[in-house]
Amino acid sequence: MSAQIRPWGNPCRNKLTRGAFEAVNRRDLDALMRFYAPDALLDTTRTVGVAPRGRAAIRGLVEDWMGAYEELEWLREEPLDLGNGVVFAVVRQKGRPVGTIGYVQQREGWVWVWVDGLIASLTTHPYTDIDEARAAAERLAEERG
C-alpha cells in the first residue's frame, strides 16, 4: 500500500511549513527555531556534510550558511503532504554570495517529519537525488502509518 499523496491534505502542516520558509526568508532565526523540536535533527550529510541535532546546533548551521550570502531565498517548488507527519518538497535556493554581483542557485529534495506541530527531522538531498528523496519520503510515510 503506498502513501496517500496529497498536495497539502493537512492544512496545519502546510501552514507550518510555509511559516518556516517565511521566517528563514526574513532571516528571522528566532522565529525559525520555534518550528523545530528541541532535539530536532537537520540531516544535511548528503548536501553539506553535517547533521546538527538540537536547536542551537541547527541555528549555528543556518547562521553560517546565511552569512555566506548577501541575498538568499528558499522556495518550495513541489510540496507534498505524504501523510503521517511526512512532507516532501523540491526546494530551490537562490542567492548572491558575499562580495559578488552574480547569483547562484540549487535545487534539493527536502523531507520533513513533523511531530506535535514541530519539525522532528529535516533531511536534505542533492538535486541529483530528488527522485530518490521522494521515494524515501513515501517509504517513511508508510512506515510511520
Side-chain angles (χ1 to χ4, degrees), residues 12 19 43 48 54 67 79 94 98 117 126 129-131 133-135 137:
C12 183
D43 183 354
V48 180
K94 180 181 178 184
V98 171
D129 295 338
I130 287 175
D131 290 338
R134 180 178 174 154

Side-chain angles (χ1 to χ4, degrees), residues 21 24 36 42 47 74 76 87-93 106-112 122-125 130 133-134 137:
F21 274 83
V24 75
Y36 283 89
L42 176 54
T47 54
W74 280 274
R76 299 177 305 161
V87 172
F88 169 79
V90 173
V91 175
R92 183 170 52 92
Q93 295 179 54
Q106 65 181 10
R107 292 177 76 228
E108 298 172 330
W110 288 17
V111 179
W112 291 264
L122 169 56
T123 303
T124 64
H125 298 261
I130 287 175
R134 180 178 174 154

Side-chain angles (χ1 to χ4, degrees), residues 26-134:
R26 287 190 316 267
R27 293 186 177 231
D28 184 347
L29 296 185
D30 290 335
L32 178 64
M33 289 304 106
R34 287 192 288 272
F35 288 96
Y36 283 89
D39 63 342
L41 174 66
L42 176 54
D43 183 354
T44 63
T45 54
R46 295 169 186 88
T47 54
V48 180
V50 296
R53 181 175 289 279
R55 288 179 180 151
I58 292 168
R59 182 185 184 112
L61 175 62
V62 175
E63 283 176 341
D64 289 348
W65 191 263
M66 293 173 110
Y69 295 89
E70 294 282 342
E71 298 174 32
L72 183 61
E73 180 180 32
W74 280 274
L75 300 167
R76 299 177 305 161
E77 291 185 346
E78 301 172 25
L80 294 172
D81 178 352
L82 299 173
N84 300 313
V86 179
V87 172
F88 169 79
V90 173
V91 175
R92 183 170 52 92
Q93 295 179 54
K94 180 181 178 184
R96 185 172 57 82
V98 171
T100 70
I101 58 170
Y103 286 82
V104 296
Q105 66 179 350
Q106 65 181 10
R107 292 177 76 228
E108 298 172 330
W110 288 17
V111 179
W112 291 264
V113 175
W114 289 87
V115 176
D116 296 329
L118 295 172
I119 300 168
S121 68
L122 169 56
T123 303
T124 64
H125 298 261
Y127 74 95
T128 55
D129 295 338
I130 287 175
D131 290 338
E132 266 183 48
R134 180 178 174 154

